Amino acid sequence: MTFDLSIIIVSFNARDDLARCLQSLHDAPPSRAHEIIVDDNASTDGSADESRRWTGLRVIGVGRDLWVVGGNDVNRRASRVSDV
């Protein structure tokens, strides 16, 4: 499938915020073809498990906290959109 848009969410121990964000994307999805990538940076609060409850997204976990910049870099490479 070809996507016009990659929605990249970097998360570290933010399960409740992540759940609200994913619920919002589910309730009002973008009109363009899109993919959702969640990078869990070694959270200990169940953030990765919360992400895996949702369909239509990919969860990437590198096993350590890369902070936002490192997480975005990992997700940009994982994106299937040519122009990120």
Side-chain angles (χ1 to χ4, degrees), residues 52-70:
R52 289 185 185 99
R53 288 185 337 107
W54 297 89
T55 60
L57 61 81
R58 288 189 291 153
V59 179
I60 298 173
V62 294
R64 60 192 168 100
D65 185 8
L66 297 177
W67 299 79
V68 172
V69 174

Side-chain angles (χ1 to χ4, degrees), residues 19-58:
R20 284 190 297 273
C21 180
L22 294 173
Q23 184 65 55
S24 177
L25 288 167
H26 176 77
D27 292 344
S31 59
R32 298 171 62 188
H34 66 282
E35 65 178 342
I36 301 170
I37 301 170
V38 174
D39 178 19
D40 179 65
N41 282 336
S43 296
T44 57
D45 69 344
S47 293
D49 293 333
E50 176 65 31
S51 298
R52 289 185 185 99
R53 288 185 337 107
W54 297 89
T55 60
L57 61 81
R58 288 189 291 153

